[in-house]
C-alpha cells in the first residue's frame, strides 16, 4: 500500500501534466481604437486618454505588459481569420468583411476596378467550400492539446451557409452568440438584443434569451455567459482557452446605462458619450474576468491577452464629432491603412512569465497570436495545414526589451470598403520595417513613406527624401505579396492587375 | 522502468474509473405519438404501424428493450421539467406549456374558472425567480458526476428573461439551438429555420447559420451538431450525457424532402405525408446516432433512451384527417388525459445490461428518468434540493419481467390548453394503478374508470360497475395531490377550489 501511494505520488504529475498548462484568455474587443482607453499607449497621456475610463485596463498595464506597437488589419474579418489561422490577410485572402449571406462580396462597385475574387465567404475549416480559405483553426489545435475551448461573443469568421459560420466547426466546444454576424442588432436586453418579432434581423444576437426584457447590456450578458462557461471548464479539470470576443465597441452605438451619465455630465456629445459608456462597459467586463480568476485561484496560471481587431471607427457618423479625430494622435481610423486603422491596444498579463508594469515596443501583428498560443499550449505546429505567417511573441513576453528592426510586416486591402472612400481607405497596401512604413495606393500607384518613431501621426510623407528606403520597402512588400500570390485589383480598362509596388506603374 | 509500467497498468483503472461510466443519450422526440412508428408498441401491428417507416427504431427494439406502458404528461413543458427535476407535474406546478414571453400564462380564459397561479415561467435552477419551480437540474448532477453534458435541440424549460431559458444554467456544457421556444419557426434550411430578416419570430431556430440556404432539414442539422458535440466529448475523455431533443414532430408540419415522395406516393393526404416524412427524418437521425456510436466504438458502453414528451397531436388541423384518429387504437391525442395524450413510445438500448429484443410491460413515467440516470451515473441523490417523485427503472432494465401493480402514477392538468377543448382536454386529472385508470374531470367532477389491459382504447367506462375501485383510486389520487399541495382550479362563482377526487363534489 505504501508502495502504491508512493507510486501514485510519482505518477500523478505525469498523468496530470496537461493540467499544468496555463489557461489562455483572448479578450478581443471589436473596433477598439488605440486611444479608446485611459492607458496611454503612446507613452504620454493624450487628450483621448483623459476622455475614457478603463481602470481594469490600467490594472492590466500595471500587472502585465503594454504593447505599444501591436497591429491588426484595418477590418474585422481579416483580423479574426488571421488570429484563427496564423495567416496574413494577403495570404488568406479574406481581405474584407464577410457578409452574412453567402456568395455576397461586400466590396462596393468601382469605376476603375473589376470585382475581385477574394475569399468573400471567409474562413473554412473544411476543404472544398467556394470562396473560402481552408485552414486548421487555432481552437482545433488547442483542443488537441488538451484545452477546453470556449467561444463567447462575436465570431464573424465566415458567411451563413458555410462551415466557418459555426464556431463549433472551428474546434470550439462551447459557443455562445457567435455566428456569421459582424455586429449586434442591439446591445440592449430590453430590446432582446434585437430579437423582437417582426423586427428581428440576421444581426439579432442569439443564445441570450435569459436576459430578454432585462436591463442587462450585451457586454454584461456575454461576460456572465463566459464566466458560466469557465465554471464548466473547471468541471473538466482541463486547461481552458476562452475566446471572449465582445460585440462592443461596434455600432450601433447605444448607451450602456451603467456608465452613460458620467460621460454626458462630462460634456461629451451624445454619440461620443454612448461610445465612452460602451468602452467602460467593456472595461468592466475585463474587471469581472480578472476578479473571477482571482476568486477561483486561477489568476496565477492564466495568460490573458487583451486585443482589438482593428482601429477605432472614425467616420463622422455613427461616431460623433469630426471624421479622423477619434484616434488622435494616430491618423484616420477603421478601414484605413494609416496607423489609426491598424494600430491597436494590446496588453498581456501572465504572472510568473510577464513582468508587471513592463512595456514592449517591438511591433507585432495579429497573426502572431496563432504561433504564440500554440507555443504556450506546448503544441507542435506540424498539424497545421496552411503554414504559418505569424511569429511567436513568446520571447517578447519574457523579455520586452527585445528588438527586431528587420522584420517586415505587411497589410493588404485590395478592396473597396466604403463607397465614399476616406483617408487611407480602399485599395491600399502597406509595409513596416523598423521605424519605417511605406504606404502604397493601389488605385494611383502613389507611395508614401513615414518614419513612425518621429512621426506617429504620419503627417510628413518623406518618400521624396528617401528614395532608396522607398525602393527597399517596396521590394520587401512586393516580394511578400508575390510569395503569397496576393490578389491585386484588376483595371477594367486594361484587364491587367495593379502592378506590385516594386514594379513599374503602367496602368 | 518495468516496475513503473506495472504500476501504471495497476493504477490506470483506478485513475480512469470515471471513464468507465456509461455514456448516456436521451433521444427525446417532440409530440411523437405511440403509433407514429413501425414498431408495434401495442403488441400487434396496427394500421398506423404500417403507415410509418422507422427502421432504426425497429433496430432499437431488436437490440434493446421496448416499453409498452411508458408515460409522459399530456403537454410538452411539464414533461421536460419532470425529466430535468424528477418531479411530477402536479408537484413542480409547471402544468402547461410556458410562453416565450415571461409572466405570460398560456391558459385560455375560462368562464367557470379563475386564472391559476401555476409556475408559468417554468423551471429555474436559481431561487427567487417568480412563478418558477426551483430545483437542482439533472445535468448539474451529471456534470458533478464527471459527465460532459450536451444539449442539442428544443429546450423549452422556462420563459425568456428567466434563467431556465438558458440550457447553460441547467448544467449543460454545450447548447445548440435550445432556448425558451417550444417549436421551430421553420424546419427548412432554405428558410434559414425562420431567420429571414423582417419575418423572424422568436421561434426562429438559433445557432444553425452554417446550414442557411441549404436543403438541410432541421432534424438533420441538429443531428450533425449533436455528433459534432460528441466529437468534442471524446476530447475530454469524460463520459457524456447527450440530450438530443428534436423539434420534430411538432408543427409546423413541413415536408422532409428526403422522405416525402414515398408517403405522397402511398396516397397519404399532404399534411399526413409531411408528418410521416418528419417521422422518418427523425428515425434517420436515430440511425445516424447509432452509426456514430458504432463507428467510434462507443456502442457497447452507451445507454440510449428513446422517448417522446407527450402523445401525438390529433386535432383536425394542422394534422390531416379526422381528430382523435392519429393515435388509434389509443383514444385522443396531445393535451388529453386519455392514453393517446400520455402514452408514448419508449425504447432503451444498453448492451451488457439490457437484453436484446426484450419487452417491458411495467408502467413508468417520465420523472423516472431522473433517478434512473443518476443511478446509472453512480450519483448520490443527496444533493437534490427538491426531493424526487420518480422511481428508478434500473431494475426493469435488468429484468423486464418485473411487475409492480401497486404503484400509483398521477397526471394533473388544471389548465385550459385549447380554447375549444377536446376529448380529455383541459382541466383533467388521472391516476393509474395496476391495469386500472381513473379519469377525473375537474370541471364536472365526473369520474371515469377504464381497465387498460382489456380496454386499451378506453371505450368502456366501468365506473358504475366498480364503485370500490373508483373510490380507492380517487383516494390514491387525492392523497398524492394533497401531499404535493397540487394546484386545483378555482371556481369564479364560489372562489373555492375544485374538490379533490376523494372529496364531495360541491361546486
Amino acid at each position: 500500500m505504501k508502495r502504491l501511494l508512493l507510486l501514485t505520488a510519482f505518477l500523478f504529475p505525469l498523468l496530470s501534466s496537461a493540467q499544468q498548462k496555463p489557461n489562455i484568455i483572448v479578450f478581443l474587443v471589436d473596433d477598439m481604437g488605440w486611444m479608446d482607453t485611459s492607458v496611454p499607449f503612446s507613452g504620454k497621456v493624450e487628450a483621448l486618454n483623459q476622455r475614457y475610463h478603463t481602470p481594469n485596463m490600467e490594472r492590466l498595464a500595471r500587472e502585465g505588459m503594454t504593447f505599444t506597437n501591436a497591429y491588426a488589419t484595418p477590418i474585422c474579418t481579416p483580423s479574426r481569420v488571421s488570429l484563427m489561422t496564423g495567416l496574413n490577410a494577403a495570404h488568406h485572402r479574406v481581405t474584407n468583411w464577410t457578409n452574412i449571406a453567402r456568395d455576397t462580396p461586400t466590396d462596393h462597385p468601382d469605376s476603375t476596378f473589376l470585382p475581385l475574387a477574394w475569399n468573400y465567404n471567409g474562413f473554412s475549416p473544411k476543404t472544398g467550400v467556394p470562396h473560402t480559405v481552408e485552414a486548421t483553426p487555432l481552437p482545433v489545435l488547442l483542443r488537441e492539446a488538451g484545452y477546453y475551448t470556449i467561444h463567447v461573443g462575436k465570431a464573424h469568421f465566415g458567411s451563413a451557409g458555410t462551415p466557418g459560420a459555426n464556431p463549433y466547426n472551428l474546434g470550439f466546444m462551447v459557443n455562445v452568440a457567435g455566428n456569421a454576424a459582424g455586429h449586434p442588432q442591439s446591445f440592449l436586453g430590453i430590446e432582446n438584443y434585437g430579437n423582437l418579432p417582426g423586427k428581428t434581423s440576421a444581426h439579432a444576437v442569439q443564445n441570450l434569451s435569459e436576459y430578454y426584457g432585462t436591463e442587462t447590456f450585451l457586454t454584461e450578458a456575454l461576460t456572465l455567459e463566459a464566466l458560466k462557461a469557465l465554471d464548466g471548464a473547471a468541471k473538466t479539470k482541463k486547461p481552458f482557452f476562452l475566446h471572449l470576443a465582445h460585440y462592443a465597441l461596434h455600432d450601433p452605438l447605444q448607451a450602456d446605462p451603467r456608465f452613460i451619465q458620467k460621460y454626458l455630465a462630462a460634456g461629451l456629445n451624445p454619440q461620443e458619450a454612448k461610445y465612452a459608456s460602451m468602452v467602460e462597459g467593456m472595461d468592466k467586463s475585463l474587471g469581472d474576468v480578472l476578479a473571477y480568476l482571482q476568486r477561483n485561484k486561477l489568476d496565477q496560471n492564466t495568460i490573458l491577452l487583451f486585443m482589438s481587431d482593428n482601429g477605432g471607427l472614425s467616420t463622422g457618423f455613427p461616431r460623433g464629432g469630426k471624421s479622423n479625430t477619434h484616434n488622435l494622435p494616430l491618423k484616420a481610423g477603421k478601414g484605413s491603412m494609416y496607423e489609426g486603422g491598424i494600430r491597436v491596444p494590446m496588453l498581456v498579463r501572465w504572472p510568473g512569465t510577464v513582468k508587471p508594469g513592463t512595456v514592449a515596443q517591438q511591433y507585432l501583428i495579429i497573426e502572431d497570436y496563432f504561433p504564440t498560443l500554440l507555443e504556450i499550449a506546448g503544441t507542435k505546429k506540424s498539424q497545421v495545414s496552411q503554414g504559418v505567417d505569424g511569429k511567436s511573441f513568446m520571447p517578447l513576453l519574457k523579455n520586452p526589451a527585445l528588438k527586431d528592426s528587420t522584420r517586415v510586416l505587411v497589410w493588404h486591402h485590395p478592396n473597396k470598403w466604403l463607397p465614399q472612400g476616406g483617408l487611407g481607405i480602399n485599395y491600399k497596401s502597406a509595409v513596416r520595417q523598423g521605424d519605417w512604413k511605406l504606404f502604397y495606393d493601389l488605385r494611383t500607384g502613389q507611395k508614401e513613406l513615414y518614419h513612425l518613431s518621429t512621426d506617429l501621426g504620419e503627417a510628413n510623407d518623406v518618400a521624396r527624401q528617401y528614395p532608396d528606403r522607398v525602393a527597399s520597402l517596396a521590394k520587401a512588400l512586393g516580394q511578400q505579396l508575390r510569395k503569397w500570390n496576393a490578389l491585386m485589383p484588376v483595371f477594367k480598362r486594361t484587364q491587367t492587375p495593379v502592378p506590385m509596388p516594386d514594379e513599374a506603374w503602367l496602368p
Side-chain angles (χ1 to χ4, degrees), chain A residues 327-407:
Chain A
N327 301 291
L328 289 174
L330 300 188
K331 187 169 171 181
K334 178 180 179 179
S336 174
M337 221 37 113
Y338 293 117
E339 295 288 295
I342 56 179
R343 198 186 289 214
V344 292
M346 175 172 162
L347 299 159
V348 177
R349 182 187 187 278
W350 193 8
T353 302
V354 166
K355 265 202 196 152
T358 45
V359 177
Q361 297 190 315
Q362 174 61 40
Y363 50 87
L364 56 78
I365 188 162
I366 194 159
E367 55 259 33
D368 296 344
Y369 274 67
F370 185 94
T372 307
L373 299 190
L374 291 188
E375 189 176 344
I376 290 169
T379 290
K380 300 262 187 313
K381 275 184 280 183
S382 54
Q383 296 156 296
V384 181
S385 59
Q386 63 269 30
V388 173
D389 301 324
K391 189 183 158 196
S392 171
F393 52 80
M394 184 72 111
L396 212 52
L397 296 176
K398 293 176 178 166
N399 178 11
L402 286 182
K403 272 282 181 192
D404 174 6
S405 58
T406 64
R407 187 179 184 198

Side-chain angles (χ1 to χ4, degrees), chain A residues 9 13 23 25 62 75 87 97 136 193 203 253 271 309 311 342 378 386 458 478 498 501:
Chain A
N23 305 302
I25 299 177
R62 279 196 308 275
I75 304 277
L87 296 177
W97 62 281
T136 307
Y193 313 109
H203 289 96
L253 304 191
Q271 281 301 95
D309 67 342
I342 56 179
Q386 63 269 30
E458 296 168 288
V498 165

Side-chain angles (χ1 to χ4, degrees), chain A residues 450-469:
Chain A
Y450 299 102
H451 188 255
L452 293 175
S453 60
T454 55
D455 180 22
L456 183 62
E458 296 168 288
N460 304 305
D461 170 12
V462 291
R464 283 168 188 258
Q465 291 93 308
Y466 299 93
D468 293 351
R469 181 65 67 178

Side-chain angles (χ1 to χ4, degrees), chain A residues 229-399:
Chain A
L230 292 188
D231 283 343
K235 306 291 178 185
T236 68
K237 314 236 192 290
K238 296 164 84 71
F240 62 76
F241 167 55
L242 168 62
H243 184 240
L244 176 48
H246 278 295
Y247 279 99
L249 316 170
H250 203 295
D251 73 307
L253 304 191
Q254 291 176 299
D256 187 325
R258 301 169 295 177
F259 304 107
I260 184 69
Q261 277 313 321
K262 68 194 270 191
Y263 295 102
L264 289 169
L268 287 185
N269 74 51
Q271 281 301 95
E272 290 304 281
K274 284 179 194 169
Y275 189 78
S277 78
M278 291 168 76
V279 169
E280 192 163 350
M282 172 282 297
D283 183 79
K284 198 258 183 191
S285 166
L286 175 64
D288 291 347
V289 171
L290 290 170
Y292 178 94
L293 295 179
Q294 206 158 0
R295 201 161 61 241
N296 292 280
K297 303 192 178 20
L298 295 164
D299 56 328
Q300 293 306 305
N301 194 33
T302 299
I303 174 168
L304 188 151
L305 305 102
F306 182 103
M307 187 68 176
S308 171
D309 67 342
N310 50 244
L313 187 66
S314 195
T315 54
F317 184 82
R319 292 295 297 267
K322 284 177 64 177
S323 293
N324 302 317
T325 63
H326 302 85
N327 301 291
L328 289 174
L330 300 188
K331 187 169 171 181
K334 178 180 179 179
S336 174
M337 221 37 113
Y338 293 117
E339 295 288 295
I342 56 179
R343 198 186 289 214
V344 292
M346 175 172 162
L347 299 159
V348 177
R349 182 187 187 278
W350 193 8
T353 302
V354 166
K355 265 202 196 152
T358 45
V359 177
Q361 297 190 315
Q362 174 61 40
Y363 50 87
L364 56 78
I365 188 162
I366 194 159
E367 55 259 33
D368 296 344
Y369 274 67
F370 185 94
T372 307
L373 299 190
L374 291 188
E375 189 176 344
I376 290 169
T379 290
K380 300 262 187 313
K381 275 184 280 183
S382 54
Q383 296 156 296
V384 181
S385 59
Q386 63 269 30
V388 173
D389 301 324
K391 189 183 158 196
S392 171
F393 52 80
M394 184 72 111
L396 212 52
L397 296 176
K398 293 176 178 166
N399 178 11

Side-chain angles (χ1 to χ4, degrees), chain A residues 157-234:
Chain A
F157 304 118
S159 296
T162 77
N166 184 350
Y168 283 123
N169 290 329
L170 273 59
F172 284 112
M173 300 167 77
V174 175
N175 169 40
V176 178
N179 52 35
H183 65 82
Q185 186 173 338
S186 168
F187 282 91
L188 304 181
I190 52 169
E191 293 181 353
N192 299 354
Y193 313 109
N195 295 280
L196 296 166
K199 296 180 187 170
T200 309
S201 80
H203 289 96
V205 187
Q206 301 188 333
N207 296 134
L208 298 177
S209 62
E210 175 180 358
Y211 309 99
Y212 289 3
T214 72
E215 294 284 335
T216 315
F217 202 70
L218 178 55
T219 307
E220 176 80 4
L222 294 175
T223 308
L224 292 170
E225 292 303 298
L227 300 186
K228 211 177 281 178
L230 292 188
D231 283 343

Side-chain angles (χ1 to χ4, degrees), chain A residues 90-91 388-389 476-486 500:
Chain A
H91 193 182
V388 173
D389 301 324
L477 177 58
Q479 280 177 336
Q480 198 56 265
L481 293 178
R482 272 188 295 270
K483 182 182 152 198
W484 288 329
N485 197 18
M500 289 289 171

